[in-house]
């Protein structure tokens, strides 16, 4: 199962619209889409290592723009779209807790949660819902997403072939780990 998915992502990574597809995934993940952009970012960088930092920059910009949409959903549309997204992922309790915590620790929450497998869309929607300072939201979201994506770009640019060999040799284990991380991120949020 993971081999077919991995081969598909490598084919996508070689497509002429690969970076555009990555930008779309990154944008959508920051506001409503469940799949983290890393799933597309890693194969795209592995196929285009010389452009690793450019790809990370595009992923970062798209993620922050998607985060702005998530913020707007929380700020303006929480009773309709925002509530639907939160309910879809079963994160009602977490969203309420996040809103309370934002009053005191907003910038720290954005910085830390943007690096973890915890869904970034929850952070962006909760930021808008809490009416967190928009400029500070954009700055902290940019810092945390850039750090995450540029770290991945650096590691793959520097150690790309050994990383690719490692992934291909242990594809099933890595696939299971990614699924566990995504599900674990949602579970962790619901337990917070």
């Amino acid at each position: 199962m993971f081999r077919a998915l991995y081969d598909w992502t490598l084919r996508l990574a070689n497509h002429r619209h690969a970076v555009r597809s990555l930008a779309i995934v990154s944008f959508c993940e920051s506001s409503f889409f469940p799949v983290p952009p890393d799933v597309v970012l890693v194969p795209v960088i592995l196929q285009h290592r010389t452009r690793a930092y450019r790809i990370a920059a595009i992923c970062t910009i798209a993620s922050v723009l998607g985060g702005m949409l998530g913020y707007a959903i929380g700020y303006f549309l929480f009773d309709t779209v925002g509530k639907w997204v939160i309910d879809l992922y079963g994160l009602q309790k977490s969203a309420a807790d996040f809103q309370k915590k934002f009053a005191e620790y907003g910038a720290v929450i954005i910085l830390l949660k943007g690096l973890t497998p915890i869904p970034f869309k929850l952070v962006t929607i909760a930021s808008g819902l809490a009416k967190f300072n928009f400029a500070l939201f954009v700055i902290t979201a940019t810092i945390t997403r850039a750090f995450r994506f540029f770290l991945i770009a650096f590691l793959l640019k520097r150690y790309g072939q050994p990383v690719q060999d490692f992934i291909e040799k242990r594809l099933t284990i890595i696939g299971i780990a990614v699924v566990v991380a995504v599900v674990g991120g949602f579970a962790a949020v619901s337990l917070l």
Side-chain angles (χ1 to χ4, degrees):
M1 175 178 121
F2 292 117
R3 172 59 57 191
L5 183 59
Y6 178 73
D7 290 342
W8 177 80
T9 58
L10 286 180
R11 282 193 304 277
L12 174 67
N14 280 317
H15 193 274
R16 64 188 177 110
H17 298 297
V19 176
R20 185 176 300 152
S21 298
L22 170 64
I24 291 168
V25 169
S26 186
F27 177 88
C28 294
E29 184 273 338
S30 293
S31 49
F32 62 88
F33 193 60
V35 177
D38 313 78
V39 172
V40 181
L41 178 65
V42 170
V44 170
I45 290 177
L46 285 173
Q47 296 301 310
H48 306 282
R49 287 186 199 110
T50 58
R51 298 182 355 212
Y53 298 126
R54 181 175 178 262
I55 293 166
I58 291 168
C59 191
T60 300
I61 291 166
S63 182
V64 172
L65 290 173
M68 290 178 188
L69 174 61
Y71 183 97
I73 289 169
Y75 194 94
F76 298 111
L77 304 172
F78 184 78
D79 291 334
T80 55
V81 178
K83 188 171 178 345
W84 176 79
V85 171
I86 296 297
D87 290 346
L88 178 68
Y89 295 113
L91 303 173
Q92 301 86 347
K93 179 184 177 301
S94 300
D97 291 344
F98 264 19
Q99 187 177 7
K100 291 174 191 169
K101 292 176 185 174
F102 262 92
E104 194 170 347
Y105 304 109
V108 174
I109 289 171
I110 295 168
L111 287 170
L112 294 177
K113 302 296 184 193
L115 296 173
T116 68
I118 290 175
F120 194 57
K121 69 198 73 25
L122 177 62
V123 174
T124 65
I125 293 170
S127 296
L129 180 62
K131 312 277 190 268
F132 186 72
N133 179 287
F134 183 72
L136 187 55
F137 165 77
V138 172
I139 291 167
T140 54
T142 302
I143 290 169
T144 193
R145 299 313 262 182
F147 181 82
R148 178 175 169 169
F149 300 141
F150 276 88
L151 177 63
I152 291 170
F154 169 77
L155 293 172
L156 293 176
K157 184 176 176 75
R158 183 166 182 142
Y159 306 106
Q161 193 57 51
V163 169
Q164 189 167 359
D165 293 343
F166 179 84
I167 289 170
E168 290 178 3
K169 287 179 186 169
R170 294 163 183 84
L171 190 58
T172 301
I173 294 170
I174 291 170
I176 291 169
V178 168
V179 170
V180 167
V182 171
V183 172
F186 283 103
V189 168
S190 65
L191 296 174
L192 293 176

